[in-house]
Amino acid sequence: MVGYQDLDFIEALLSGYDTKTKIRSWHSLVRVCRRWRGLILGSPRRLNLQLCCTTRTPAKETLDVWPALPLLIQGGVSEQSMDNVIAELKHSDRICKINLSFKDLSYDTVLPDTFLGGSAPRLRYLALTSIPFPGLSKLLLSATHLVRLWLVNIPHSGYISPEAMVTCVSMLTSLEELYFQFHSPQSCPDQESRRPLPPTRSVLPALRRFSFKGVNEYLEGLLARVDTPGLYRLSTNVLQ
């Protein structure tokens, strides 16, 4: 009974924290005593325990020390940290959040089609900044529980057509946030390759917030193919 009381107390301690603070806090709490360590690591689902892997911290320092908990991977990727990030991303069946930026790398650097093995069944949050990713369509087919999708500052080498983008997100019935922002007005739909509108529009039932940055022709092509009955916040930045 004492153990359950302690677990209730630990749960109350962690409940009000944001994800980053919560991770730091439970790392500290497992060092309080052996009983608390057993309670915390023995109740990962109830306490919603997660591990944070940054691009600067060697993967082994996190993955070899703690149990196989859900992973958050975040940070800026450089040439020096690339191998470390690849080592973290190999655990695709555990990753629930990715927030990566390639600001220090060339726009010629792209994520390979084999990123995450092409599958991320537990992924709920994906944010990529300045990263061309030709394998996005394949990945999103497996990330059916995705809640937030942020593709920010997309370089021209990472262009994806409105038709392909709608196909990507049409299966994401839990998607609540979509941030889709191009780097330059170069990313304009090719007039000759435009396909006729489908007879019915794809429905995104959970979408609440949508932010777009790009040319007006792209936005029109995108909105003409989707229905967002629950949308309450729309932000657009039209590039000239």
Side-chain angles (χ1 to χ4, degrees):
M1 190 66 176
V2 175
Y4 287 113
Q5 291 174 346
D6 285 351
L7 188 57
D8 290 340
F9 177 68
I10 292 169
E11 186 176 21
L13 280 177
L14 298 175
S15 62
Y17 294 142
D18 58 40
T19 301
K20 187 175 181 179
T21 305
K22 183 175 181 178
I23 291 173
R24 289 200 304 263
S25 298
W26 76 256
H27 280 192
S28 299
L29 291 177
V30 295
R31 298 184 176 92
V32 170
C33 64
R34 183 176 298 176
R35 181 175 59 184
W36 275 30
R37 179 181 178 87
L39 284 172
I40 293 171
L41 297 183
S43 307
R45 290 189 178 181
R46 175 174 171 178
L47 299 177
N48 192 25
L49 300 186
Q50 298 173 336
L51 292 176
C52 182
C53 294
T54 69
T55 55
R56 296 182 179 181
T57 304
K60 283 184 171 294
E61 290 188 11
T62 301
L63 301 176
D64 290 355
V65 173
W66 301 105
L69 298 170
L71 298 177
L72 286 68
I73 299 177
Q74 59 188 26
V77 184
S78 64
E79 295 288 351
Q80 293 75 24
S81 65
M82 182 66 76
D83 289 342
N84 184 57
V85 173
I86 291 174
E88 295 170 349
L89 293 173
K90 288 181 179 179
H91 300 266
S92 59
D93 59 329
R94 295 169 52 189
I95 297 174
C96 59
K97 176 179 179 180
I98 295 174
N99 187 352
L100 295 176
S101 169
F102 275 22
K103 291 181 179 179
D104 296 331
L105 296 180
S106 165
Y107 280 158
D108 293 332
T109 304
V110 300
L111 288 177
D113 288 349
T114 54
F115 176 72
L116 289 176
S119 176
R122 300 184 68 169
L123 190 63
R124 292 178 59 82
Y125 179 109
L126 176 62
L128 302 176
T129 300
S130 305
I131 304 178
F133 181 24
L136 178 67
S137 301
K138 180 180 179 180
L139 177 65
L140 293 183
L141 287 175
S142 71
T144 54
H145 298 293
L146 205 64
V147 175
R148 296 180 181 178
L149 176 59
W150 291 20
L151 303 174
V152 180
N153 205 35
I154 306 168
H156 183 60
S157 57
Y159 175 80
I160 178 172
S161 71
E163 298 89 345
M165 188 61 197
V166 171
T167 300
C168 283
V169 301
S170 61
M171 301 300 292
L172 305 179
T173 57
S174 299
L175 190 66
E176 297 178 3
E177 292 185 11
L178 175 59
Y179 284 48
F180 192 61
Q181 302 173 351
F182 287 105
H183 172 68
S184 76
Q186 277 186 294
S187 299
C188 183
D190 186 345
Q191 296 285 345
E192 297 182 358
S193 64
R194 286 187 180 182
R195 299 177 183 176
L197 294 176
T200 59
R201 296 193 294 178
S202 298
V203 180
L204 302 179
L207 194 67
R208 301 293 181 265
R209 291 172 289 277
F210 175 49
S211 176
F212 174 82
K213 178 181 178 182
V215 297
N216 192 55
E217 294 86 351
Y218 194 106
L219 180 61
E220 291 176 353
L222 196 65
L223 295 181
R225 291 172 169 81
V226 295
D227 187 9
T228 56
L231 188 70
Y232 73 87
R233 181 175 297 173
L234 172 64
S235 172
T236 62
N237 184 350
V238 177
L239 298 175
Q240 302 296 332

